[in-house]
Structure formats: structure tokens, C-alpha cells
Amino acid sequence: MADPTTARPPLSTSGRSTRDLIRGLADVDWRRYVIYIAFVAVFVLFAVLLRDDGFLSQGNLLNIFRQTATITVIAVGMTYVIACAEIDLSVGSVAGLASVCSAMAIAHWGLMAGILAGLAVGVVVGTINGGLVSRLGIPSFLVTLGMLGIAAGVAQWITHSAPQPILNDTFNLIFGGGDFGPIPGLLVWMAAFVVVGAVVLNRTRFGRQVVATGGSRTAAEFTGIDTRRIKFQVLLISATVASVAGMLYAGRLQSGRFQWGSGDELSAIAAVILGGTSLFGGRGAVIGTLFGALLIGLINNGLILAGLESSQQQVVRGVIIILAVALARKK
């Protein structure tokens, strides 16, 4: 017979539930949710501090989405590249080159020629990048760093540093300059790329192969995945998506300029890493990338409303990139 003085009463159901809940919360990898927590925290902070500066106005919130849309499009393509354990530093210059090629082709041959010329820039650059990385084994960092300079130089060379106006209203309407009903066109493009990018990465065989290649190339090859083909394809996708972003710049601003997209590669990489994609490959999150881009746009907008100078904004942007790398550290 048990000693009544030492017997413990059975733990109540509510006590077990509370303990299990605490244990479950302790086991959660909070790094996966940092971007969403940070987005809400920054939004609430700016909403309180800048409420008298029009931060919460409909016009300002739509402006944040417009300013973020093009970066988000580039970052969706970058998500595939980084999930595959590669990098693409040429996307900003590709966007600028695509914008001027589209503008010049429209001026000479019309709408369809302009669209095809812009896409051709991405296809050609992506083919070169992908071929050098997958076939010759040159690190993607070096290949795309070199292509960054080449694309920017070609864009400046063929235009003699002069802007190329786009007078085709249809192009400007389609590529970010118009609205689809009450919805800004740039938001439609952003939503389309995010939805398609998320579905392909999470629900298709190709998406699983991209993640597998980034996680372990050797293991992926043992399962029959052609990792060289996957690397070629993600770099081709990244450059082609960047060319679309360049046309969105051109359509919204009604001109092609070699400066469009300058520095966007850094913002796109920061958005991807902040969004939960591993800098070391093997994990990708397109929805997280969207919130990463929105967080950067939110911070930029808030700093402008707060009256900070552009140099100070660059400092903050640099801190964000460092934070992104820190959050992506490997376990």
C-alpha cells in the first residue's frame, strides 16, 4: 500500500497541456518566423511614430508596394538561385540593360519587338551565366560579378549614357505604368511572380530538385538529379526574371536607362535571406522573400518620412544585409 504522505497527485489534464505547449514553443525554430515578427514590429513602430506624417495613408501604403514590387520580382528569381546554393550579382545590371534594349527596340520596330528584345537580354545573359557555372565549373560569384560590369557597361555604351524615352502607351500601361481597375499594375505583376514562384518551388518536381541540389549536390546526384542542368536553369530563370523587372522599370518611368536596377542585387539578396532562404542552399521560401522585400521597402519609406538623408538610409540598408547573413548562419 502506498504511503499517503509521499504519494503525488496525478498531474491534471490542464497542467499537462500547459507543459506540452511550453515544450512545443521551446522546440520551435523561431528563425523561420523572424521576418514576419520583424515586419509587424517595424510596421507598428512606424505607425505610432510617423502617424502625423501620413505613414498610414492609403497613398503612402500603396507607394510602399509600388516601390517594392520590382525588387520583389527580382528577389523571386534570386530565391531559386540561393536555394540552389549559388548567387547572381548581375540582376541589377541586367534589368538596366533590358530597359534600354526594350526602349530602343520599341522606338525602331514597335511594341512586340521591344518586349522580345527585353526578354532576349535575360535569356542571353542567363545562358552565358548558367553555361559558365554549370559546364566550366566557374563559381557563380565570379561569373555574375563579371557580368554585372559587362551588362552595365554595354547599357551605358549603346545609349551614350542618355535616357531612352518610351512613347508607346500600351507598353507603359502593361509594364507597371497603369492600373488594372483599382489595383496598380505593379502589384499585379508582383503577386503573379510570387504565386507562380511559390507554387513551382514548393509543389513541383523542379522545385524539389532545386532545393535538393542546394542541400547536397552529391546526394542529389545519387538520386539521379542532373545538378548541372538545375544550376543552369536557375541562373537562366534569374536573368530572365531580372529582364522583366527592367521592363517594369521602363514602363513605370516611361524610359530606359542604364541606371535602372543599380544596386538591386543587394536588396534582392537581403530580401531572400531575411525571408528564410538559407544562404548555404537547401531551403527556399518565396512567401518569406515577399515579406523580406516589403520589410526593406517599409524601412526605406519610414526613414524617408523621418527625414533621414540618403547616406543614412544606405547605412541602415547595409545593417539589414549584415543582419540577414547573421540570421542565415548554419546550425
Side-chain angles (χ1 to χ4, degrees):
M1 181 174 178
D3 186 352
T5 61
T6 59
R8 294 181 180 180
L11 190 63
S12 66
T13 303
S14 61
R16 285 197 301 270
S17 300
T18 302
R19 186 180 65 181
D20 293 342
L21 176 61
I22 294 174
R23 182 179 299 171
L25 291 175
D27 292 337
V28 172
D29 183 5
W30 288 103
R31 292 188 306 165
R32 293 173 179 252
Y33 307 100
V34 164
I35 182 60
Y36 308 107
I37 297 171
F39 179 82
V40 172
V42 171
F43 184 87
V44 171
L45 177 65
F46 284 157
V48 173
L49 297 179
L50 301 174
R51 62 182 182 275
D52 295 332
D53 297 302
F55 176 78
L56 291 176
S57 66
Q58 180 179 354
N60 184 63
L61 295 179
L62 281 177
N63 193 40
I64 293 174
F65 278 100
R66 287 192 183 97
Q67 293 173 345
T68 305
T70 310
I71 295 293
T72 303
V73 170
I74 294 175
V76 169
M78 187 71 75
T79 301
Y80 282 76
V81 175
I82 295 180
C84 193
E86 301 294 340
I87 198 74
D88 188 352
L89 300 177
S90 65
V91 288
S93 296
V94 170
L97 180 58
S99 75
V100 300
C101 287
S102 286
M104 296 172 74
I106 289 172
H108 288 87
W109 301 293
L111 175 63
M112 288 307 301
I115 295 174
L116 293 175
L119 291 175
V121 169
V123 171
V124 170
V125 172
T127 299
I128 295 172
N129 287 346
L132 292 174
V133 172
S134 64
R135 301 301 171 184
L136 298 184
I138 304 174
S140 57
F141 178 89
L142 297 178
V143 170
T144 58
L145 179 62
M147 187 58 71
L148 181 155
I150 293 172
V154 170
Q156 190 172 3
W157 181 19
I158 64 178
T159 60
H160 303 288
S161 303
Q164 305 298 308
I166 299 178
L167 304 179
N168 189 297
D169 293 335
T170 303
F171 181 91
N172 294 333
L173 175 65
I174 295 173
F175 288 94
D179 298 333
F180 296 95
I183 305 175
L186 282 174
L187 268 67
V188 175
W189 280 97
M190 179 177 72
F193 271 86
V194 169
V195 170
V196 173
V199 170
V200 171
L201 187 62
N202 297 323
R203 302 293 183 182
T204 68
R205 183 175 176 227
F206 172 71
R208 292 190 292 272
Q209 289 179 339
V210 169
V211 174
T213 300
S216 173
R217 179 178 178 181
T218 302
E221 289 176 345
F222 271 119
T223 63
I225 297 174
D226 186 348
T227 57
R228 292 198 302 176
R229 176 179 59 85
I230 295 298
K231 290 187 177 186
F232 177 87
Q233 289 175 338
V234 296
L235 288 167
L236 177 61
I237 289 171
S238 178
T240 304
V241 169
S243 69
V244 175
M247 290 190 285
L248 292 176
Y249 272 122
R252 181 189 176 196
L253 302 170
Q254 299 183 14
S255 66
R257 296 182 183 230
F258 73 92
Q259 298 101 323
W260 296 159
S262 177
D264 282 359
E265 60 277 353
L266 299 181
S267 297
I269 292 171
V272 171
I273 304 305
L274 282 172
T277 298
S278 173
L279 184 62
F280 307 98
R283 187 174 73 244
V286 173
I287 300 300
T289 293
L290 168 64
F291 277 89
L294 288 175
L295 176 62
I296 294 174
L298 193 68
I299 292 173
N300 288 340
N301 181 266
L303 295 178
I304 292 172
L305 291 179
L308 270 69
E309 299 178 357
S310 59
S311 59
Q312 296 169 319
Q313 295 174 36
Q314 290 176 356
V315 171
V316 174
R317 193 176 296 114
V319 171
I320 291 173
I321 294 173
I322 294 174
L323 175 63
V325 175
L327 292 174
R329 67 190 184 277
K330 209 168 187 177
K331 286 186 177 181

